[in-house]
């Protein structure tokens, strides 16, 4: 009788495997860019696989077991995400990532309360998607205050208080900065917003699962979360929206009314299961990861600064997430250092803006000189980074900075005691 069930299909993978083996023969660089994205934790993949293969039902199908089992998995994930930030599961809305969550929070709140409130406050060092959402609201007639930050990268709370107006609907300040790792005083900002009856949104993509967060203690009304920054899958995230006192948002996407009408579209069960598991793993391992990452970060900074003069750490060293280290190497072009360190995956800023040669707007906001801003490199240390990788990165970095400085006429002039600031350069 003909065999029933799955039949194996023989496919010619020769061409594909040739490409793969060619790639494997060249060693891949070490990965030190965990602010851009993180590898999937194997435990997350294990949790996701059944929902990619056997349990493929639409979580919104009400009439059969396929739908029910997917819905149960989705609600379990909602619980896992909520538990990590001290929220109620009904306050978690699944999205495609932190960019969408930020858009929903900022545009959604502004548009819902537009009849009475026309003013928003954010900071100059926010992620591009927050700044661009604010820009598009300005085009709709809203007023936006972009608060400057101090040299440390932290906002001045007095300036925030002074900026709040009677018609301010929302304050949006990120928890941990994606370029310099600076932690804003979220609980204090929450208290100020709550006392002035203004909603408080925080983009916590770089902080969730890495530092303890509690939406009630910190008086946070809306929070953006990303899956791929916490060893979960790409293409999924969440937004926390407070229920008591209730925060209303105008939905950006029309459709079948899923996710309490705030985010229509079929919820992708496998991705959401991945996000939930990533949150649970992060909750279990947060303390251990933090200790380990702090140690590795200290080791990297100490090795580099011991061997090289004129290295500046950008951002407040105290109020800082240790896994994000942004260093400026004076008299070295950051891009040439990145090219030289081709066996280590690093970046000179955020992945979203790394295509432009402009120096980072975050570094400009903290008052970094243009030349130092161009010489900055971001080192990311994560859950799977090893001591050997840190040592190798530090050694290579020291070696190439020394080599590039020896080639630099500016470095030579500085060694001869010439103050570069005093030189009048002529334009030819």
């Amino acid at each position: 009788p003909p065999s029933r069930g799955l039949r194996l299909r023989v496919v010619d993978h020769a061409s594909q495997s040739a490409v793969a083996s060619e790639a494997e023969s060249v060693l891949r660089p070490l990965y030190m860019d965990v602010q851009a994205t993180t590898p999937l934790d194997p435990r997350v993949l294990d949790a996701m696989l059944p929902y990619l293969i056997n349990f493929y039902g639409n979580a919104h199908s009400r009439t059969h077991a396929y739908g029910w089992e997917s819905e149960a998995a989705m609600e379990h994930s909602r619980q896992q995400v909520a538990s990590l930030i001290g929220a109620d599961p009904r306050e978690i809305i699944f999205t495609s990532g932190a960019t969408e969550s930020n858009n929903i929070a900022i545009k959604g709140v502004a548009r819902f309360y537009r009849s009475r409130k026309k003013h928003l406050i954010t900071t100059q060092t926010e992620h591009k998607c927050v700044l661009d959402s604010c820009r598009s609201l300005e085009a709709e007639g809203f007023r936006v205050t972009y608060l400057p930050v101090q040299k440390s990268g932290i906002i001045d709370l007095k300036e925030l208080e002074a900026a709040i107006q009677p018609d301010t609907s929302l304050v949006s300040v990120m928890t941990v900065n994606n370029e310099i790792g600076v932690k804003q005083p979220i609980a204090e900002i929450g208290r100020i917003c709550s006392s002035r009856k203004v909603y408080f949104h925080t983009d916590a993509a770089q902080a969730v699962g890495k530092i303890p967060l509690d939406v009630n203690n910190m008086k946070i009304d809306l929070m953006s979360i990303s899956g791929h920054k916490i060893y979960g899958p790409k293409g999924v995230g969440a937004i926390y929206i407070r229920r008591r006192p209730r925060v209303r948002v105008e939905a950006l996407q029309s459709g079948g009314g899923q996710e309490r009408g705030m985010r229509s579209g079929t919820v992708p069960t496998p991705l959401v299961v991945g996000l939930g598991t990533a949150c649970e793993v992060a909750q279990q391992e947060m303390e251990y990861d933090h200790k380990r990452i702090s140690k590795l970060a200290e080791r990297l900074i100490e090795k580099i600064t011991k061997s090289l003069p004129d290295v500046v750490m950008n951002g407040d060293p105290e109020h800082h997430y240790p896994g994000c280290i942004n260093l400026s190497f004076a008299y070295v072009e950051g891009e040439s250092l990145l090219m030289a360190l081709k066996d280590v995956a690093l970046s000179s800023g955020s992945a979203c803006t790394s295509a432009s040669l402009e120096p980072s707007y975050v570094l400009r906001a903290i008052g970094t000189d243009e030349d130092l801003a161009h010489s900055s490199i971001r080192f990311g240390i994560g859950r799977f980074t090893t001591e050997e990788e840190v040592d190798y990165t530090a050694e290579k970095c020291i070696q190439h900075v020394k080599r590039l400085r020896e080639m630099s006429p500016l470095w030579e002039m500085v060694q001869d005691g010439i103050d570069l600031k005093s030189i009048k350069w002529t334009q030819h």
Side-chain angles (χ1 to χ4, degrees):
S3 63
R4 307 219 7 218
L6 289 178
R7 256 174 305 184
L8 291 176
R9 213 166 32 138
V10 180
V11 183
D12 176 24
H13 286 304
S15 55
Q16 284 154 292
S17 62
V19 176
S21 62
E22 200 177 311
E24 276 157 25
S25 64
V26 183
L27 279 175
R28 298 184 73 208
L30 305 182
Y31 190 71
M32 298 285 279
D33 197 17
V34 293
Q35 275 71 42
T37 192
T38 55
L40 199 64
D41 190 297
R43 292 165 285 191
V44 171
L45 181 62
D46 286 347
M48 289 170 68
L49 277 172
Y51 295 93
L52 287 160
I53 297 164
N54 294 324
F55 307 116
Y56 45 76
N58 182 327
H60 315 289
S61 299
R62 291 266 178 248
T63 56
H64 50 68
Y66 288 85
W68 306 330
E69 64 202 9
S70 288
E71 187 186 19
M74 171 178 79
E75 292 311 324
H76 179 59
S77 302
R78 211 185 292 283
Q79 178 72 59
Q80 290 169 311
V81 177
S83 164
L84 180 59
I85 59 168
D88 181 294
R90 292 170 300 179
E91 298 174 308
I92 303 296
I93 303 294
F94 291 120
T95 67
S96 63
T99 291
E100 186 186 2
S101 297
N102 286 335
N103 273 266
I104 291 173
I106 292 163
K107 295 174 183 169
V109 167
R111 289 172 184 164
F112 191 91
Y113 297 100
R114 59 157 37 113
S115 59
R116 301 194 312 280
K117 307 202 164 191
K118 301 285 281 186
H119 179 241
L120 297 91
I121 300 173
T122 187
T123 78
Q124 293 173 6
T125 54
E126 292 299 305
H127 191 275
K128 262 282 191 281
C129 61
V130 168
L131 297 175
D132 278 4
S133 294
C134 289
R135 289 264 180 269
S136 76
L137 287 174
E138 284 181 293
E140 291 175 26
F142 290 90
R143 304 184 320 285
V144 181
T145 300
Y146 299 92
L147 291 175
V149 293
Q150 304 163 82
K151 261 257 98 358
S152 62
I154 293 169
I155 64 165
D156 181 337
L157 293 172
K158 289 192 183 64
E159 281 185 27
L160 169 64
E161 283 211 66
I164 296 177
Q165 298 169 18
D167 69 339
T168 305
S169 59
L170 184 74
V171 168
S172 179
V173 179
M174 73 200 317
T175 309
V176 168
N177 184 276
N178 54 305
E179 285 192 35
I180 56 176
V182 162
K183 265 195 289 202
Q184 297 292 349
I186 294 302
E188 287 83 343
I189 298 169
R191 269 202 293 280
I192 291 169
C193 293
S194 160
S195 71
R196 302 288 292 273
K197 303 260 185 293
V198 174
Y199 291 133
F200 174 35
H201 164 252
T202 186
D203 170 5
Q206 297 285 350
V208 165
K210 299 183 175 81
I211 57 172
L213 293 174
D214 186 295
V215 290
N216 295 315
N217 294 348
M218 296 176 163
K219 301 200 183 318
I220 297 166
D221 298 304
L222 304 105
M223 178 194 280
S224 303
I225 297 169
S226 168
H228 75 109
K229 307 291 189 197
I230 56 171
Y231 311 94
K234 292 163 183 62
V236 69
I239 179 171
Y240 153 80
I241 304 179
R242 181 175 288 286
R243 278 171 69 86
R244 295 213 168 82
R246 190 167 180 206
V247 181
R248 305 292 301 271
V249 298
E250 188 178 291
L252 301 188
Q253 190 157 292
S254 316
Q258 292 93 338
E259 295 300 278
R260 303 183 175 271
M262 290 186 237
R263 207 285 188 179
S264 286
T266 298
V267 171
T269 313
L271 296 183
V272 158
V273 166
L275 174 64
T277 309
C279 285
E280 186 172 295
V281 170
Q283 194 169 357
Q284 291 162 359
E285 314 236 328
M286 191 186 299
E287 205 179 322
Y288 174 81
D289 279 351
H290 198 278
K291 271 197 195 118
R292 198 174 151 276
I293 288 167
S294 302
K295 242 198 216 94
L296 291 176
E298 233 167 90
R299 188 180 177 98
L300 180 75
I301 295 167
E302 193 192 348
K303 272 187 186 295
I304 289 175
T305 49
K306 233 193 212 150
S307 304
L308 294 172
D310 300 303
V311 177
V312 180
M313 183 169 166
N314 297 304
D316 193 298
E318 285 301 299
H319 305 281
H320 181 263
Y321 170 65
C324 179
I325 304 155
N326 191 305
L327 301 177
S328 290
F329 300 90
Y331 321 111
V332 172
E333 188 66 50
E335 297 298 324
S336 17
L337 183 52
L338 281 181
M339 294 301 159
L341 289 165
K342 56 180 174 291
D343 43 3
V344 183
L346 293 160
S347 85
S348 57
S350 89
C352 319
T353 49
S354 60
S356 71
L357 285 172
E358 276 289 286
S360 143
Y361 65 88
V362 173
L363 293 180
R364 208 177 307 150
I366 63 172
T368 310
D369 283 343
E370 180 110 357
D371 48 352
L372 265 183
H374 272 299
S375 69
S376 78
I377 301 278
R378 181 183 68 186
F379 300 85
I381 296 176
R383 182 180 294 163
F384 302 118
T385 310
T386 64
E387 205 167 87
E388 293 77 27
E389 288 176 319
V390 166
D391 290 350
Y392 182 86
T393 302
E395 276 159 38
K396 283 287 181 208
C397 186
I398 293 160
Q399 178 193 327
H400 287 299
V401 169
K402 283 183 174 162
R403 184 178 61 82
L404 290 165
R405 279 179 175 172
E406 274 158 22
M407 289 158 60
S408 158
L410 295 179
W411 174 250
E412 208 173 309
M413 290 160 81
V414 171
Q415 299 320 104
D416 295 342
I418 299 168
D419 176 14
L420 295 184
K421 293 261 189 287
S422 67
I423 297 174
K424 298 273 180 285
W425 303 95
T426 56
Q427 298 276 327
H428 288 296

